[in-house]
Amino acid sequence: MSSSTLTDRAEVADGYRAGRTLPVRVELVRQLKRRRTFVMFGVLAALPFVLLVAFQLGGGPGSGNSNVNLMDTATLSGANFAAVNLFASAGFLLVIPVALFCGDTVASEAGWSSLRYLLAAPVPRARLLWSKLVVGLTLSLAAMILLPVLALAVGTAAYGWGPLELPTGSSLSAGTAAQRLVITVAYIFVSQLVTAALAFWLSTKTDAPLGAVGGAVGLTIVGNVLDEVTALGDWRDFLPAHWQYAWLDAVRPDLDWSDMIQGTSLSITLALVLFALAFRGFARKDVVS
């Protein structure tokens, strides 16, 4: 008997509520117990300590360099150290947890041959995808929050609590800096929604988690490479990678929203299209694994 037939019969059973199947909290606990979750959070938690050791051994960032940029201010305060951690990881490292948590979620169930049993539980397909998507995005956001929070703690312990010193010579008070870091994390998360949606869509198309995760990371890298091709001119404005560092406008004396608004609009639009493709395709997919 097919899983769809079982689902249809269960929908008329006494006490059955589709919205109660596969609760988000149950899926969250399942994903938190997985080894790859611990490994990914461990890697992100280690980055501040790695940079701290690197700065201690190397004599501080920017040694022997007359050009001053955000990286060169890392040792001036805990806020600077947190901002530098975000700057160092936003382009690639933070892409990996997003692709992993959103790309591995459905494909891994198919790879374990447990997907059809979830659908026969019976869990409606849309409900299953919704639970997995919410958990994937939640873990992605948690990863992006963990890094700056831990970096702020490590940086404050090593370099003290103080204002965010800017490469231009000006500074932001500690309170303002904290607000700007919140804006930065929020924007980085929104800008990564395209990677999340791409990974999630690929996850509904393949039984190989590595294919979904690797495909999303690979296409994100391709986008970064294309953004470096200046011959594309204004076409680069349609690449999410073109706006990935728009958050730098948040760590300036005068906050400028223009680039962040454009990047947010593009990211959300592309993500909604990919999420819709994932739900539409999975609703028609013949699940045999």
Side-chain angles (χ1 to χ4, degrees):
M1 184 180 298
S2 67
S3 59
S4 60
T5 301
L6 290 173
T7 301
D8 292 340
R9 291 186 177 181
E11 287 178 346
V12 297
D14 292 337
Y16 175 80
R17 296 292 185 274
R20 296 179 181 177
T21 58
L22 193 61
V24 171
R25 65 178 182 279
V26 173
E27 178 63 18
L28 179 60
V29 171
R30 293 179 67 225
Q31 298 302 324
L32 286 174
K33 290 181 178 179
R34 295 186 59 186
R35 182 180 301 175
R36 53 91 155 143
T37 304
F38 288 102
V39 171
M40 193 68 258
F41 278 102
V43 169
L44 291 174
L47 179 62
F49 296 98
V50 171
L51 289 180
L52 178 64
V53 172
F55 291 150
Q56 294 293 334
L57 295 178
S63 299
N65 186 1
S66 59
N67 297 322
V68 179
N69 54 39
L70 182 62
M71 184 67 72
D72 298 327
T73 67
T75 60
L76 297 180
S77 70
N80 280 92
F81 189 72
V84 165
N85 273 262
L86 287 172
F87 180 77
S89 59
F92 179 72
L93 183 59
L94 289 180
V95 173
I96 298 178
V98 173
L100 179 65
F101 293 138
C102 295
D104 176 74
T105 180
V106 178
S108 61
E109 298 284 0
W112 299 331
S113 298
S114 60
L115 187 57
R116 56 182 173 179
Y117 297 109
L118 280 176
L119 295 175
V123 181
R125 295 191 179 202
R127 175 66 183 178
L128 182 143
L129 287 189
W130 174 251
S131 294
K132 289 188 171 294
L133 177 58
V134 170
V135 170
L137 293 177
T138 299
L139 292 176
S140 300
L141 179 59
M144 293 184 186
I145 294 175
L146 171 67
L147 178 61
V149 168
L150 186 56
L152 184 61
V154 172
T156 300
Y159 308 117
W161 177 257
L164 177 63
E165 303 291 344
L166 304 178
T168 57
S170 56
S171 63
L172 300 175
S173 66
T176 301
Q179 295 175 4
R180 299 292 181 86
L181 288 175
V182 171
I183 294 174
T184 296
V185 172
Y187 179 78
I188 292 176
F189 174 72
V190 172
S191 68
Q192 293 296 338
L193 285 178
V194 176
T195 299
L198 180 59
F200 192 71
W201 175 59
L202 291 175
S203 186
T204 64
K205 293 293 184 180
T206 179
D207 296 349
L210 184 60
V213 177
V217 172
L219 289 174
T220 300
I221 293 175
V222 170
N224 291 337
V225 172
L226 290 176
D227 186 53
E228 297 298 325
V229 181
T230 56
L232 291 175
D234 293 340
W235 287 104
R236 293 187 300 164
D237 292 347
F238 296 97
L239 295 172
H242 187 67
W243 308 101
Q244 66 177 340
Y245 285 107
W247 61 268
L248 288 172
D249 290 339
V251 289
R252 294 178 178 174
D254 297 321
L255 179 60
D256 185 0
W257 292 98
S258 56
D259 285 352
M260 286 190 285
I261 290 175
Q262 292 187 64
T264 297
S265 300
L266 178 63
S267 181
I268 291 178
T269 299
L270 293 177
L272 288 176
V273 171
L274 290 169
F275 284 139
L277 289 175
F279 277 83
R280 182 175 183 272
F282 192 71
R284 303 179 179 185
K285 182 179 181 179
D286 184 15
V287 178
V288 294
S289 57

